[in-house]
């Protein structure tokens, strides 16, 4: 049990960049046991697990905290934490932008403003700028359709088809904006984009059909079932056990469908 | 493509009431591509679509941002935007109050306080006051039951019946408060109230059964299928594609049920 | 009708600890009718109902407002209100900590910081400290498993079993953290913990499977069907009618399953 606390504290310290992290300090007088749990469960249990690197975990956390919308103090902590363990400003900005498709613009804009405050408080030499949209010559639609088919496969195409008779333009925007614009960006690899997507869909709670599509997506771009499960499990920390349990059940259906197909 | 950006910028400028909207400015140094996307997708693609007027779109957006709860900076922008394109303070206050039934009092009270700040910052002569409750002599229950039957029809009556044996008072509060108090208010026509309701239910994500009832509702009070689809599609901007896709699928079921009945 | 307003105002005054509660004051100039509704519906209708004490209602409200994440102004009001009607700081802190399992750490940490501000503004002699983790000699797993089986019964065991082949460690964390750590704490009785849990699951909207488990839970630890229904009904105020209706339908299924089993 002491191991669990110590292991968690080591990880939390490396993220916080200080020996006595402020989260713990601020809980000390009102709920000291929650301070202990915060070290033990999120960090000692979850963050120290294998199958995802700590950088992948930070990307997942940033995607989820963005999607929750109300968790800006925690987002700032984890943006800072991500920088402290070697993620770049560019990766962080890309992860936040990426979830626009899943939670909409308001949550993303507020998250970027929070990240901006963190960036301004630090002296990292790196600049978040230097962005580049897709360099591709194809139309947004052609580029997006190819990306959707490659990433989400049949599950993604089924979504598009289901919209064709009632809201064809919604289907087109998914192809053009979510895939042609966002998924085709550089700055964050596809596997990480799918991990971030899974995290955001689990955190939202009401996006289970889309979660299934993107569990397929992660596996289609070279991710593993373990990575999908770990990402979902981690959301118990940020969005609670119901979100994680419902997410795991969705993943289970995807795995069973893929097993049946082979 | 330049058209899309320019078209979006024109709409955004008319809402913002300034040539270089602050949303764009504040993203310029951290995520310039998201600034571009914000002009192109929400405004160039979605807001410029037909089938809803820009005033109806603002009412839908205000309902959705209120229901999300965490989107107060965006709500302020759109309250200001609604006033800039000719909505009245009264309409804005009515739209926010209306969604109390769908997202509860906390979100609505916080939204009204945000609207109040916007109103205070402006010099429009108009006053938000001059409210009037329903002038009707009937009891809240009688007035509400008649409104529920007229607006939501059989779908609404089925909700009430399903509650009768386990929580009859919840059924009564829906009749008295949601319909007798809120729906019977003047200051916002029924069609707009249903558009606002649909927007809030889609943004919530977990209110799909109620979304179906109110797609029926919109059609029952003279709205069109196109208006229902447009309102749901617009929520891709504010709550993400999963919310919009799940909403469209719910609407599809309603349309199919109505087709089958004819 | 005057009765309804007066009855609500009396309750609201006792919570607010002042004759002219600030919620009402702040709405007076922008939406005076909503000020009236706020007195009438949440307090005159709901809070004055039987089957839950006002202290139980405050615990439910605090759990729900914590889970919503964005409702910190209302949470502060109700933490203050809970203290004004005789709840202890310890009970309030326990109720907030308890919902970590259902909505995750960010919402809980922000809620505790809000509670801390309220505590600091008051001169109650009592201290929130003096916490104690479970004194039990058993391992967290053994203690948690016993608590889970006792509280949630077969419904809880079914959740654990469904996770065993795909995410066994998620099952273990539920046992160890949600039950071994949180449910086994002193400071709040099990019946109140289940009421708080039900409130949080209804407010989340997307936690209906877990809501069912905990309606069983409340009944298993000596709570009544009326208490379950009342807690869910009360959420119409804080999370809207859709959340309450969907919650009632979930409870209905639980009651029917228990009736069938007898």
């Amino acid at each position: 049990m002491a191991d669990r606390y110590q292991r968690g504290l080591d990880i939390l310290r490396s993220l916080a960049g200080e020996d006595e992290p402020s989260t713990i300090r601020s809980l000390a007088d009102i709920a000291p046991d929650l301070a202990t749990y915060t070290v033990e469960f999120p960090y000692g249990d979850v963050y120290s697990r294998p199958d995802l690197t700590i950088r992948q975990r930070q990307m997942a956390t940033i995607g989820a905290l963005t999607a929750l919308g109300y968790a800006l103090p925690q987002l700032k902590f984890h943006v800072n934490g991500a920088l402290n363990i070697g993620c770049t400003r560019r990766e962080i900005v890309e992860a936040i932008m990426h979830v626009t498709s899943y939670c909409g613009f308001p949550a993303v804009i507020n998250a970027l403003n929070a990240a901006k405050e963190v960036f301004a408080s630090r002296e990292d030499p790196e600049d978040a700028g230097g962005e580049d949209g897709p360099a591709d010559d194809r139309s947004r639609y052609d580029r997006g359709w190819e990306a959707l088919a490659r990433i989400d496969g049949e599950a993604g195409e089924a979504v598009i088809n289901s919209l064709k008779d009632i809201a064809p333009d919604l289907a087109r925007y998914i192809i053009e904006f979510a895939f042609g614009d966002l998924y085709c960006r550089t700055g964050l690899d596809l596997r990480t984009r799918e991990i971030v997507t899974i995290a955001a869909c689990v955190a939202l709670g009401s996006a289970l059909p889309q979660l299934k599509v993107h569990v397929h997506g992660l596996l289609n771009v070279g991710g593993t079932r373990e990575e999908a499960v770990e990402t979902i499990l981690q959301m118990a920390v940020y969005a609670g056990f119901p979100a994680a349990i419902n997410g795991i059940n969705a993943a289970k259906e995807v795995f069973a469908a893929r097993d049946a197909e082979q």
Side-chain angles (χ1 to χ4, degrees), chain A:
Chain A
M1 256 184 77
D3 276 1
R4 212 173 141 243
Y5 186 86
Q6 193 55 50
R7 191 170 61 221
L9 191 58
D10 291 345
I11 295 173
L12 180 54
R13 280 175 172 162
S14 71
L15 289 173
E18 52 179 353
D19 273 3
E20 209 195 337
S22 63
T23 316
I24 304 310
R25 268 199 324 270
S26 83
L27 290 170
D29 53 345
I30 185 165
D33 286 353
L34 191 78
T36 306
Y37 298 152
T38 302
V39 174
E40 290 176 343
F41 177 54
Y43 300 102
D45 286 342
V46 177
Y47 261 72
S48 60
R49 295 175 59 80
D51 290 320
L52 285 180
T53 65
I54 197 142
R55 289 174 61 168
Q56 287 175 310
R57 290 194 183 277
Q58 282 301 91
M59 291 291 109
T61 296
I62 286 171
L65 294 174
T66 299
L68 286 175
Y70 61 73
L72 296 176
Q74 287 71 37
L75 181 67
K76 286 188 203 172
F77 176 83
H78 284 286
V79 166
N80 203 50
L83 294 169
N84 285 341
I85 58 148
C87 297
T88 65
R89 292 184 180 200
R90 174 71 193 278
E91 285 169 330
I92 293 165
V93 168
E94 287 294 330
I96 296 173
M97 281 175 64
H98 182 77
V99 297
T100 311
S101 302
Y102 306 102
C103 61
F105 282 77
V108 165
I109 290 172
N110 293 341
L112 285 171
N113 283 327
K116 207 167 142 176
E117 283 182 44
V118 175
F119 292 173
S121 73
R122 296 173 60 101
E123 299 186 1
D124 317 68
E126 191 209 359
D127 196 279
E131 292 187 57
D132 53 287
D136 206 303
D137 268 355
R138 291 173 293 174
S139 72
R140 295 166 69 236
Y141 188 92
D142 288 347
R143 186 173 68 217
W145 177 255
E146 186 277 327
L148 181 144
R150 181 160 44 93
I151 297 167
D152 287 348
E154 284 174 25
E157 292 174 25
V159 172
I160 298 302
N161 288 331
S162 78
L163 295 170
K164 282 227 160 127
D165 55 339
I166 176 170
D169 287 349
L170 182 61
R172 182 163 63 80
Y173 297 145
I174 293 170
I175 294 167
E176 290 178 342
F177 177 59
F179 286 89
D181 286 344
L182 291 172
Y183 264 103
C184 289
R185 295 177 61 77
T186 57
L188 202 66
D189 62 281
L190 280 181
R191 195 160 164 176
T192 308
R193 286 188 187 273
E194 285 306 72
I195 287 172
V196 170
T197 300
I198 289 171
C201 287
V202 174
L204 284 170
S206 53
L208 293 176
Q210 292 71 34
L211 175 63
K212 287 187 209 168
V213 173
H214 289 283
V215 170
H216 278 295
L218 176 63
L219 299 174
N220 291 343
V221 300
T224 65
R225 291 186 181 195
E226 287 73 20
E227 287 172 347
V229 167
E230 281 301 317
T231 305
I232 298 169
L233 183 154
Q234 184 172 321
M235 294 306 111
V237 172
Y238 299 105
F241 287 112
I245 294 170
N246 297 339
I248 287 290
N249 285 331
K252 212 167 153 175
E253 286 181 42
V254 172
F255 297 167
R258 292 176 82 98
D259 287 341
E261 215 163 84
Q262 286 181 335

